[in-house]
Amino acid sequence: MKALEGVRILDMTHVQSGPTCTQLLAWFGADVIKVERPGKGDATRSQLRDIPDVDSLYFTMLNHNKRSVTLNTKHDGGKAIFTRLLETCDVIAENFAPGALDRMGFSWERIQEINPRIIYASVKGFGPGPYEDCKVYENVAQCTGGGASTTGFPDGPPVVAGAQIGDSGTGLHLALGIVTALFQRETTGRGQRVVCAMQDGVLNLCRVKLRDQQRLTHGPLKEYPQYPNDTFGEATPRAGNASGGGQPGWIVKCKGWETDPDAYIYVIAQAAAFDGLARVIGHEDWLDDPDWNTPAARLPKIEKMFAEIERWTKTMSKFEVMETLNPLNVPCGPVLSMKELSKEPSLRATGTVVEVDHPTRGAYLSVGNPIKLSDSPVEVTRSPLLGEHTDEILRDVLGMDEAAVAAAKADGAV
Ligand code: CAO
């Protein structure tokens, strides 16, 4: 038994933000029916292809455990089938450009008429306001949600993160909105509208930077590299690799950094573990020196302190540094490349990295469900081929007979 068994989701999502949400719900046991345009499907099927004529990794890694039905929702026959699917589903999820579903004739009011218990969940770029009609992709959201202005080095331009906080981050927010709405339906008997804007999702993940914006009005941000030698402007600045939590931290080089772009480790020089750190890097002298032996004394010399730490870390591999510092309770973590993560045995053992077989592409690696539930095991299965389950869904979910299925096909509805 899986947590969301019995929940059926009409999945109109495409690209990344929406599909990450419905993929999670599928992993928790929901029956996710992905509706795709006949002949074309989700645009990501053909984007960034690595093998000709085969569904891309972009698509396969975001659409596991789903069924695919092709349906033209702008065609009268297709609309009739879509209406019947709305009647049988618990959730409809979509992330089209603003107003797309309304233009098809399915406003929230109309959807509620069709099925008052349905939850209608959407990702949009922006919430109501000046930009509500804009189309939005990942990096636009990172820029408009505060991620880019606070990422990068103080003397460089704004930088976007590799982590897809706009797309996958908002998909996560939407998934929580959907299960919360399902929970509330248990008492109200009604569905509801769930909307997550990517700008809001990114800003939520940048919460501590808005904290710093307000702290800035009361004085300099002492944990930022700008303190005490540089000046602060009016907005939360970029902090490079400084640790956001008030404990000095930085990324330092390890052995091999000259040729390996990932031979680095993050080290936090936490006050509680400072003695051990100072000793291991050969600076026992700091322990009795009032210029070094308190966090306040070290604060103006953080750059020098990390230069000294780095002199030591450069003599060892990032894994050796990790092994040496962990017993000393010094928080640290090697910068792991995607190559290293893909081979990490512990991630394979927990199902966070999985190998999945696919009929046309063969075996590929994917990220499995990062959320582990003890009573709801996850088996990651491959993404569907375009329209692979069209007949099955029309027959088994909607009860259409062979003649009706054939007629819908001949008509161009599916
Ligand atoms: N049958 C018939 N028509 C269909 C269909 C189907 N099964 N599925 C989709 N369509 C139609 C839509 O109705 C829409 O038609 P109209 O423009 O006439 O309303 C059209 O296909 C294209 O949809 P779109 O505008 O959403 O797609 P796009 O490629 O132009 O834009 C995106 C993509 C992502 C920018 C836009 O969908 C968007 O802003 N979404 C919200 C924010 C979001 O999720 N962004 C993250 C994307 S991941 O990086």
Side-chain angles (χ1 to χ4, degrees), residues 12 14-19 35-38 40-41 43-44 47 58 69-75 82 94-104 122-126 133-139 164 166-168 170 196 198 413:
M12 300 284 285
H14 67 153
V15 205
Q16 185 182 166
S17 65
V35 175
E36 295 182 83
R37 227 179 316 192
K40 284 177 93 176
T44 59
Q47 275 172 11
Y58 196 4
V69 57
T70 50
L71 185 62
N72 183 349
T73 51
K74 287 185 173 168
H75 174 287
F82 188 61
E94 62 90 29
N95 66 309
F96 291 128
L101 226 61
D102 297 75
R103 288 191 285 279
M104 287 175 201
S122 303
V123 169
K124 294 291 164 241
F126 294 96
D133 293 328
C134 298
K135 293 186 176 188
V136 168
Y137 286 102
E138 172 67 46
N139 290 346
Q164 306 283 283
D167 279 337
S168 290
T170 310
C196 290
M198 293 168 76

Side-chain angles (χ1 to χ4, degrees), residues 128-202:
Y131 306 123
E132 64 189 308
D133 293 328
C134 298
K135 293 186 176 188
V136 168
Y137 286 102
E138 172 67 46
N139 290 346
V140 175
Q142 289 203 29
C143 289
T144 58
S149 69
T150 54
T151 304
F153 286 89
D155 54 355
V159 172
V160 294
Q164 306 283 283
I165 57 175
D167 279 337
S168 290
T170 310
L172 267 168
H173 284 83
L174 193 73
L176 179 59
I178 290 171
V179 291
T180 305
L182 283 168
F183 189 71
Q184 191 172 14
R185 193 180 71 171
E186 290 298 303
T187 46
T188 64
R190 280 194 317 275
Q192 62 182 297
R193 189 83 174 92
V194 179
V195 184
C196 290
M198 293 168 76
Q199 181 183 41
D200 301 9
V202 171

Side-chain angles (χ1 to χ4, degrees), residues 79 125 275-276 327 394 401 408:
K79 284 184 194 188
D275 286 12
L394 297 184
D401 60 25

Side-chain angles (χ1 to χ4, degrees), residues 310-359:
E310 189 173 68
R311 225 159 43 88
W312 173 75
T313 56
K314 273 160 77 175
T315 64
M316 279 181 275
S317 77
K318 59 191 175 187
F319 299 108
E320 287 165 343
V321 175
M322 176 93 171
E323 271 167 38
T324 311
L325 292 185
N326 259 331
L328 304 174
N329 283 329
V330 177
C332 60
V335 171
L336 295 181
S337 67
M338 279 298 147
K339 185 176 178 194
E340 287 162 335
L341 287 164
S342 69
K343 292 177 192 299
E344 171 56 41
S346 63
L347 295 175
R348 297 292 184 103
T350 57
T352 297
V353 176
V354 286
E355 192 169 299
V356 183
D357 212 3
H358 188 275

